[in-house]
Amino acid sequence: MKMFRIKGGIHPDERKDLAAGKAIETVPLPSLLRIPLQQHIGAPAVTVVEKGDEVKKGQLLASARGPVSAAIHAPTSGRISAIGRFVAPHPSGLPGQTITMRPDGKDEWGELPAPIDDPFSVGPDIIAERVAASGIVGMGGATFPSAVKLGLRNRNKLETLVINAAECEPYLTCDDRMMRERSEAVIDGIRILRHALGVERAIIAIEGNKPEALAALKAVCSANQFKDVLIARVPTRYPMGSEKHLVQTLTGKETPARALTADIGVVVHNVATCYAIREAVRFGRPLISRVVTVSGGAMARTGNFEVPIGTPISHLIDHCGGFNKEPDRLLLGGPMMGQPISSTRTSVVKGSNGVLALGPDETPARQTMPCIRCASCVSACPCGLTPFEMAGHIRKEELDAAVKIGLLDCIACGSCAWVCPASIPLVQYFNYAKGKLTAQQRAKHKQEETKRLTQFREERMERQKKAKQEAMARMKAEREAKKKADAEKKRAKQETIGA
Amino acid sequence: MNALVGGPHAHSGNSISRTMVLVLVALMPATLFGFYEFGWPAVFLFLVTVAAAIAAESFSLALAGKPQKPFLLDGSAVVTGWIIAMTLPPWAPWWIGVVGSFIAIVLAKHAFGGLGQNVFNPAMIARTVLLISFPIEMTQFLTPQPMFTGSSPGFLEGLEITFAGHTAFDAVSSASLLGAIKTQLGLGVPVNEVVGGSLSLTAMALGIVPGSMGETSAVAILLGGILLLATRTITWHAPVAMIVTMAVLAGLFQAIDPGRYPGPAIHLVSGTFLFAAFFIATDYVTAPATGMGKLIFGAGVAALTFIIRTWASYPEGIGFAILLMNAAVPLIDHYVRPRIYGRTRSGEPIRYEET
Ligand code: SF4
Ligand code: SF4
C-alpha cells in the first residue's frame, strides 16, 4: 500500500519490550470499585441506581446525558455502597461524581440485550443503537462516544474506515497484545463496524514495530478471504496515532483545520474499540473492562491486564507486586501524552490504556535553560507550528499573538518538548494558554450574558417608566380637560344667571 | 515523587551542552590544523581567547545576577571564544583575544539578555569591531610556519610573540589572499597572475596559505561541517545556500570579465567563507528558524559578501555580511513560517470537497 509522508514527528525510545511479551491476564476483583460518571468527553452520565441497590454485572448504572455522553454499567455484581464526589483520575485531582460499588464476589451477569447473531444482516442504526446502549467510547484515550462517530454517516459521505492500531506511545502494548491474542474477534469487530458505516473498505494501520500483531491479523484475513479489510504497516513515527496524521499517511489527504476526518470521508476508530463493539453487538456485553498496560522501570512486574472499569489503580499496582524502587513519576497513559496520577486511589476508566511507574533514569529531570532558537521544535512539530515562538508570546502573556501563529492548532503531542535541548516545558506553556483562553471565553460569555440581562432590565424599566409617565400625562390631561369643562359650565351657568 | 509535573514525560536527551560539545568536536580538525600551521603563538592566543570568553561569561552572569553553574556549563561561551580565536590572525598579541572575547560576550551577548537573546553573532561582532579598531594587528597574516619545522617559533618564542608582542618574526608576515588580490588588482595586475605561483588552489584548499588561525584549510573545515550535518546539529540549508549563491555570483562575474573578477573556487576556499558557512551562518540564535528562512539567510550572506569583497574597501566582507543578515532575521522569521497543518499559507483552513 502506498504511504504518504507527514511532516515532523519524532522517534522516542519505544521501551515496548518491557510488556510486549506478556499475555493479557485477568486481575482479581478488588474489594471496592470506584466508577466515575465522567469517563468520556461531554456531560457526565446520570445515575439510575441508588445507594444500597444490589446490581448485577452489566446492569446500567448511569445513562448518557446529552449528545456526547456515554452510559456506564456495573463491571461486576454487588452492592452500591456510595454515590458521591471522589477524587477523579485527572491531573487536577479534583473530585468528580463517582459511584462506589462493593463486589459480592459472584460476578453474576444480569440481563443483557439480546445478542445480534448476524450483525451483517441488520441495519446500521440498530448497531449504532447497541453501541450507544453499551457505553462504548474511543479507547485510545480520546474517549469520544463511539455511537456518535457511527452517526457521522448521516452527515458525511464516508469512504474509508481507518482502524487506529498505531499505538505510537512508548511503553504501551495493550493494543498490540489484543491484536495478537484476539485477532479473530478484532477483525470481526472491524467488519461489523465497516458494515455499520456502510463504507467499502477498512484499513487497519499498525506501526511497523508490531510484526506479530501484523502477522496475526493478516493470517485471519487471508484464512477467511476477507477482502474488505486491508492491513497497512505504517512507519514507526510518533505521533502516528494522531487521527489526522494517520489518515494523511494512508490516504494522502489532509484534514482541514477545524474539521473532522469525516469531512474528507474517513472515520477513525481505535482497535480496542472495535473489540468492545463486537462484544456489545454479538453478545450484548457492555463496556465494563479494558486491557491496560502496566509498565515502567519502577514496576516490580510489568504486563497487560484485563481490568474491570473502576478498579483502583493501587489495586492494579499491588497485583503487580508494587514498585521495585521509588517511582519518579506515576502516569495514566503513555509518557508522551499521559497524565500524572494525582492519587493511586483513583481508578482505571474506559480511556486508561496504561499505568506507568517511571524510574529516575526514565524521566527527564532536567534544568530548563533559555531558548537558543535551535528550531528543533519547529522541525519536530507535526502540525507546522513554531513552538518556541508561541511559548515566547505566552511567556509575555500575549495570548492573541500565540493564537495567531497557531496555538489552537496544537494537538499537544509533545514532540517539541521532547526534542528541546533547553528542556523548556513547551506543552505546559500551551496547556496553560489554552486553559486561560477557555476561561477568558467563559468569562466573556458570562459578561455578555450579564450585559444582555442588565440591558433587558433597563429596557423594561425604561418602558415601565415611559408607560407611567404617559399614564400620568393622560391623567393630567384628563384632569385639565375636566377642570376646563367645569369652568366652562360654571361660566355658562353664570352667564345664564346674568342674562 | 513529583506527581504533578506536566508532559511529555520522556525526552530525547539532547541538551545545549551536548550540542556545544558537538560543535567543539567539529571545530577540532580546523583547530589542530591551525596549531600545526602556525605553531605555538597560535596555541597561546587560542588559550587566552577561550579563557577570556569564560571569564567574560562569568563576569556577565554575576552582573546579571544569574546562576553561574548551569550557564557556564552550557558550553556556549567556550564555543564563542573558540570561534573568535579561529578568526584571528594566529600571531596576534594576547590582548586582541581578550578584547575580542569581552566584546563578544559582554556586549554582543549579555547586553542583549544573555544566552539565546542576542540578535547578532557575538564572534562576528567581535571580529568586526576588532578589524575596525585595530586594523594593523588584525591584518598581520603570515605564511604558515608548520610546527616542528625550523622556521616555527619554539615554546618560549611563542610565548614572547603572543604575550610580549615580539616582532622578530615580522619578516614572515604577509597579506591574506583576498587582500593580495585586492591590492594587485588595484595595481592593474590581472587575477590569474595574482593567483598563480605560491597561491595555488590546492594549497588554498589544504590551507597552506596565509590567513586566520582556523580558516585556511577548506578540507579541515569541511570535515567539521560534515560531522555537524551528520549529527544533525545543523541543517544543510544555510551552508548550501551560501556556497551555491557565491559560486553562481562569482561564476557570473568571472564570465563577464575574467581579468577583473576571481572565480568561484577562489571565493569559496579563501578567507572566512567556508568557515562561516558551517560554523557562523548556522548559529541557532542568530539565524532564521525555518529551512526556507535559512536558505534566504545563506543566500543573503553570500551575496553581501561578494558585493563587499568585490566593490567595497574591505577585502574580507563576511563579518559585515553576517551582521547585516542577522539584522534581517526577525523579518525573515516573520514572513517565512511553516504552513500550519490543515491550513493554507495565509492561515485559512484548506478547502476540501464536501463529502
Ligand atoms: S527546541 Fe527548545 S531551544 Fe530549540 S528553538 Fe525550540 S524551544 Fe528553543
Ligand atoms: S505539542 Fe503542539 S506545538 Fe508541540 S509538536 Fe505537538 S502539535 Fe506541535
Side-chain angles (χ1 to χ4, degrees), chain B:
Chain B
M1 192 177 81
N2 187 357
L4 291 178
V5 285
H9 308 278
H11 194 270
S12 61
N14 193 10
S15 66
I16 295 179
S17 48
R18 181 177 167 275
T19 307
M20 296 296 167
V21 166
L22 277 168
V23 173
L24 296 183
V25 173
L27 281 167
M28 273 312 204
T31 311
L32 294 178
F33 187 77
F35 289 168
Y36 168 74
E37 284 278 275
F38 302 110
W40 285 110
V43 179
F44 297 137
L45 182 63
F46 168 85
L47 291 176
V48 166
T49 311
V50 171
I54 296 171
E57 178 81 12
S58 170
F59 169 73
S60 307
L61 289 172
L63 267 191
K66 289 185 184 160
Q68 297 273 341
K69 198 178 147 205
F71 287 100
L72 279 181
L73 287 182
D74 70 24
S76 62
V78 177
V79 167
T80 303
W82 194 310
I83 288 181
I84 293 173
M86 296 288 100
T87 68
L88 294 177
W91 287 15
W94 63 275
W95 55 267
I96 285 277
V98 172
V99 172
S101 281
F102 269 80
I103 292 171
I105 303 274
V106 181
L107 294 182
K109 181 178 177 186
H110 282 277
F112 283 89
L115 180 67
Q117 304 283 310
N118 50 297
V119 177
F120 299 102
N121 181 288
M124 285 297 105
I125 290 259
R127 178 190 163 99
T128 307
V129 171
L130 287 173
L131 195 62
I132 296 169
S133 317
F134 310 104
I136 303 186
E137 285 82 353
M138 285 298 287
T139 49
Q140 292 285 307
F141 296 107
L142 58 141
T143 321
Q145 314 287 326
M147 254 189 172
F148 318 117
T149 60
S151 56
S152 175
F155 186 83
L156 289 177
E157 286 164 315
L159 281 176
E160 274 185 84
I161 290 169
T162 305
F163 293 98
H166 204 281
T167 50
F169 289 85
D170 266 2
V172 292
S173 80
S174 81
S176 70
L177 173 66
L178 288 166
I181 294 178
K182 191 124 213 145
T183 324
Q184 300 285 320
L185 279 175
L187 299 172
V189 183
V191 167
N192 24 7
E193 277 178 37
V194 185
V195 180
S198 64
L199 297 174
S200 80
L201 264 181
T202 331
M204 282 168 50
L206 289 177
I208 316 167
V209 290
S212 302
M213 185 191 301
E215 301 172 340
T216 55
S217 170
V219 174
I221 290 164
L222 273 178
L223 267 179
I226 288 167
L227 179 90
L228 289 181
L229 284 170
T231 54
R232 298 187 182 219
T233 313
I234 62 169
T235 66
W236 58 271
H237 304 84
V240 168
M242 258 179 87
I243 292 167
V244 169
T245 309
M246 183 56 103
V248 167
L249 281 177
L252 208 72
F253 279 86
Q254 191 193 29
I256 295 171
D257 185 351
R260 253 187 82 74
Y261 301 103
I266 290 177
H267 269 291
L268 291 184
V269 298
S270 65
T272 317
F273 191 79
L274 266 192
F275 185 80
F278 288 101
F279 292 97
I280 311 278
T282 53
D283 170 27
Y284 298 148
V285 181
T286 59
T290 57
M292 189 57 181
K294 289 179 172 117
L295 286 176
I296 296 173
F297 180 81
V301 169
L304 287 171
T305 305
F306 183 79
I307 291 168
I308 298 169
R309 278 181 178 182
T310 311
W311 292 292
S313 55
Y314 284 94
E316 177 60 292
I318 198 133
F320 296 105
I322 296 260
L323 295 179
L324 282 170
M325 287 310 291
N326 285 161
V329 166
L331 201 69
I332 297 175
D333 270 346
H334 183 78
Y335 286 106
V336 184
R337 39 177 74 252
R339 185 177 67 81
I340 297 176
Y341 188 95
R343 292 182 186 276
T344 61
R345 289 226 159 263
S346 58
E348 299 300 314
I350 55 172
R351 290 229 296 234
Y352 57 94
E353 285 173 26
E354 212 51 64
T355 61

Side-chain angles (χ1 to χ4, degrees), chain A residues 4 22 76 129 170 221 264 324 355 443 449 496:
Chain A
F4 298 83
K22 314 270 177 82
T76 183
E129 225 168 79
C221 283
I264 56 168
N324 58 22
V355 170
E449 193 61 19
T496 327

